[in-house]
Amino acid sequence: MSDLKNTPSTITAMLREAQEAPQVVARLLANNAPLCRDLGERLRASPPPFAVTCARGSSDNAATFVKYLLEIHSGLVTASVGPSVTSVYEARPRMRDALFIAVSQSGRSPDILNLAQAGRDDGALTVALVNDTTSPLASTCEVVLPLQAGPEKSVAATKSFIAALAAGLQLVAHWSQDKELLAALDTLPDVLAKASAADWSSALPLLSDANNLFVVGRGVGFAVAQEAALKLKETSGIHAEAMSAAELMHGPWTLAGDHFPILVLSQRDETLSGVNDLVTKLNEQGVPVVVGGAAEGSAAVKLPSVENVHPYLAPIALIQSFYPLVNAIALARGRNPDNPPRLRKVTETV
């Protein structure tokens, strides 16, 4: 067990729920396989011209992961449409024949529902990745892929976020009938169990003292950089910003320094060379760097990760390892990660 999990006072609802993710994903993969096979067959028979994602908060970070999968693996141009386009501006974007994917834990936010209804009314194939299958979103969308996460009491989403990543990956795997990816998907619960046990406590002193930091990812890993940054904000009161490894070099890295560290999350794929170059340059500039994942080179802290993992599974494993760390960071800063100031579990925006 990780050092971050050995003290009873660290066992928050957030941490307990994060530790349930391997079982949640195992249940999701088993129960949703027939749904994904049927949906994949339908998409192969009538390929959509483009895809649309619709989400807020952690769910929008999961939608980023789905966007990268669809564009890289399926070659499908995918747009994240702001729900306010329909709910506030009362516009009706043309989505006929598109694949529309809404991601939500509660399925109750009015703006998400409004855009989903607009997509269905215009003839899009609407798919909901939602935890509450009795929700209005589940009723609005034509196809529902349940997240199978069960009740989630902590304000900070963990197991439902990981379930949304797994659901998107399962859909893409069955749609493409990629045998290698389908085989890798079967290993995901075991990969997550190993990732949950990884000890990331060596990053605690540096990150818990920071008030500002960047979380860097690239490609399919950018979504978990977004999620890590969001969790640092909401649970720990740290001004964390997700940044692409490529975008960081265009100017923002001038902010980094002794009191502005960088957390790098990386997978072993075509992006790795560029991420390695970034880590080297940051080290040369004396910027404190914490590295989780495949990136190599000198770093202030190198975190352990699960080896020999498919690059599409690696980001999911990294966020699984990150959740105990951010739980510990919040507690070290005197905050309750289950009840962040001014936040509620269900946020209904118009």
Side-chain angles (χ1 to χ4, degrees):
M1 293 289 287
S2 164
D3 289 347
L4 298 175
K5 305 174 190 174
N6 288 340
T7 305
S9 62
T10 67
I11 306 299
T12 61
M14 175 185 170
L15 182 57
R16 283 196 303 271
E17 289 166 356
Q19 291 171 332
E20 293 172 12
Q23 292 75 36
V24 167
V25 169
R27 183 165 62 243
L28 180 149
L29 294 178
N31 292 347
N32 288 8
L35 297 171
C36 287
R37 281 195 292 267
D38 291 347
L39 181 54
E41 183 178 353
R42 181 174 176 179
L43 290 167
R44 289 192 301 275
S46 182
F50 63 97
V52 170
T53 66
C54 172
R56 295 281 192 198
S58 284
S59 294
D60 198 32
N61 298 335
T64 297
F65 183 69
V66 175
K67 169 184 168 68
Y68 272 96
L69 290 176
L70 291 174
E71 293 186 338
I72 294 170
H73 193 68
S74 306
L76 191 68
V77 171
T78 304
S80 172
V81 175
S84 63
V85 167
T86 56
S87 65
V88 175
Y89 292 98
E90 298 183 351
R92 286 294 180 267
R94 291 184 290 274
M95 293 183 276
R96 180 167 300 279
D97 299 326
L99 171 63
F100 179 99
I101 300 177
V103 187
S104 176
Q105 300 161 50
S106 70
R108 284 178 163 75
S109 189
D111 53 353
I112 303 294
L113 295 171
N114 195 300
L115 186 57
Q117 188 63 61
R120 187 162 188 178
D121 289 346
D122 198 46
L125 171 55
T126 51
V127 178
L129 277 56
V130 63
N131 198 35
D132 186 350
T133 56
T134 67
S135 65
L137 181 63
S139 300
T140 299
C141 291
E142 184 177 351
V143 178
V144 177
L145 299 180
L147 297 184
Q148 309 281 352
E152 190 173 54
K153 298 185 182 300
S154 177
V155 169
T158 54
K159 61 179 180 176
S160 63
F161 175 76
I162 289 176
L165 300 183
L169 184 57
Q170 187 180 33
L171 168 58
V172 170
H174 281 283
W175 181 4
S176 65
Q177 296 184 306
D178 183 326
K179 293 181 179 179
E180 179 184 357
L181 184 54
L182 286 166
L185 197 61
D186 289 339
T187 71
L188 182 54
D190 183 57
V191 167
L192 291 176
K194 292 176 181 176
S196 184
D199 183 2
W200 280 24
S201 59
S202 58
L204 182 57
L206 177 61
L207 298 186
S208 62
D209 284 343
N211 288 319
N212 302 279
L213 61 86
F214 287 131
V215 185
V216 171
R218 195 167 187 193
V220 293
F222 184 58
V224 298
Q226 292 179 311
E227 170 66 4
L230 177 60
K231 287 295 183 287
L232 286 162
K233 291 187 188 83
E234 67 183 0
T235 69
S236 305
I238 296 174
H239 180 218
E241 183 177 357
M243 188 69 61
S244 161
E247 292 295 337
L248 188 70
M249 302 298 293
H250 283 271
W253 77 322
T254 61
L255 293 172
D258 290 342
H259 302 291
F260 200 128
I262 294 181
L263 170 61
V264 176
L265 302 175
S266 59
Q267 66 282 348
R268 194 172 300 280
D269 66 3
E270 292 85 346
T271 66
L272 184 57
S273 175
V275 174
N276 284 339
D277 289 344
L278 174 63
V279 171
T280 298
K281 290 175 182 176
L282 291 170
N283 182 62
E284 290 172 350
Q285 295 292 321
V287 176
V289 182
V290 177
V291 172
E296 300 170 353
S298 298
V301 180
K302 182 70 170 76
L303 302 171
S305 58
V306 184
E307 299 293 332
N308 302 316
V309 175
H310 191 288
Y312 292 171
L313 271 60
I316 312 178
L318 288 171
I319 202 64
Q320 176 79 76
S321 297
F322 171 81
Y323 283 142
L325 172 61
V326 78
N327 180 77
I329 290 171
L331 294 172
R333 292 169 66 88
R335 297 171 69 97
N336 179 1
D338 292 335
N339 190 24
R342 296 179 292 281
L343 293 181
R344 296 181 300 169
K345 182 60 181 173
V346 178
T347 302
E348 297 184 358
T349 48
V350 176

